Amino acid sequence: DVALLVGQAGERMAYLTLPKVHSVTEVKEAIDHINQIAYAAGISRNIPIHVLIETHGALREVFEIAALAQVECLSFGLMDFVSAHHGAIPAYAMQSPEQFEHPLVARAMTEIAVACHTHGKVPSHNVCTDIAQPENAGKDARRARQQFAYTRKWSIHPTQIRPILQAFGPDAAEINEAITILTIAHAAQWGPIQHAGRLHDYASYRYYLTTLKKAKNSGIVLSADVLAFLQYV
């Protein structure tokens, strides 16, 4: 599979996903194999690697896996993770809302997200199997973002894509708050300010600058004055 994919599409593919790994050693061996085939095929770049974290071993070594330079993203494999417990975790934990509430599943999602943010990688939430109601994929994405700091989510049907993208973008209230605070901060030459009875300084400005960057990347139209703030990101 690797020889076929890398040999024929290595210069064009966005990434390769490694499923069912059990250790950082397995990930390293797979990456070495991919790179050897790429070199032999004359591929001039390192192909980004996405790793599915869905086994006990991968979760145990998730920080070491996230630290690998060629790894771009870690995805949570919810269904395989639950199945790996051989019935100790009930089947309803494969769905919402229980997937966010069962202690062992929530712990796994948390560990993956922390490992990713520690090493500057992308944490990707698992699939939503409800293809009849695509808005549920968006709801899952929003909860994964707000409670577990995930920044991407898998889709398994075209109708899920738009709700997922909307869930990861800031809403109008968040954007307006960011604009208000950053406008006041800019007038104060980025010194500490107060807004609505709360102190803000550059620590919080970084958050609101990121909010505007996400809005821009989501295709939301921002004024030239607001876009000028992004030079400070």
Side-chain angles (χ1 to χ4, degrees), residues 18-176:
L18 303 180
K20 309 247 180 346
V21 298
H22 293 85
S23 67
V24 67
T25 299
E26 285 189 357
V27 177
K28 289 178 179 178
E29 291 173 348
I31 291 175
D32 286 343
H33 180 63
I34 291 165
N35 290 343
Q36 288 172 16
I37 291 177
Y39 179 80
I43 307 301
S44 60
R45 68 186 183 111
N46 284 334
I47 298 170
I49 302 299
H50 293 195
V51 182
L52 270 167
I53 305 299
E54 51 193 344
T55 68
H56 299 296
L59 183 62
R60 183 182 62 248
E61 300 182 11
V62 68
F63 279 82
E64 292 88 343
I65 294 172
L68 297 175
Q70 203 164 329
V71 170
E72 178 181 62
C73 171
L74 300 184
S75 297
F76 183 39
L78 171 64
M79 291 184 285
D80 273 296
F81 180 77
V82 171
S83 297
H85 287 77
H86 303 289
I89 298 178
Y92 61 68
M94 295 184 187
Q95 305 169 11
S96 292
E98 289 84 359
Q99 65 166 306
F100 297 105
E101 297 167 357
H102 190 283
L104 295 187
V105 179
R107 169 184 169 268
M109 284 199 290
T110 301
E111 290 288 300
I112 292 167
V114 173
C116 283
H117 288 294
T118 297
H119 294 288
K121 307 302 173 68
V122 176
S124 179
H125 191 245
N126 49 269
V127 301
C128 172
T129 57
D130 187 353
I131 59 175
Q133 302 179 84
E135 65 275 11
N136 286 339
K139 292 177 182 177
D140 286 353
R142 184 170 292 105
R143 191 164 182 182
R145 168 201 166 201
Q146 293 177 341
Q147 290 185 236
F148 293 90
Y150 279 71
T151 58
R152 297 290 188 276
K153 179 176 175 61
W154 283 72
S155 61
I156 56 171
H157 193 277
T159 58
Q160 293 181 336
I161 295 174
R162 179 53 54 188
I164 290 172
L165 292 177
Q166 290 175 340
F168 282 116
D171 60 28
E174 292 175 297
I175 294 170
N176 290 335

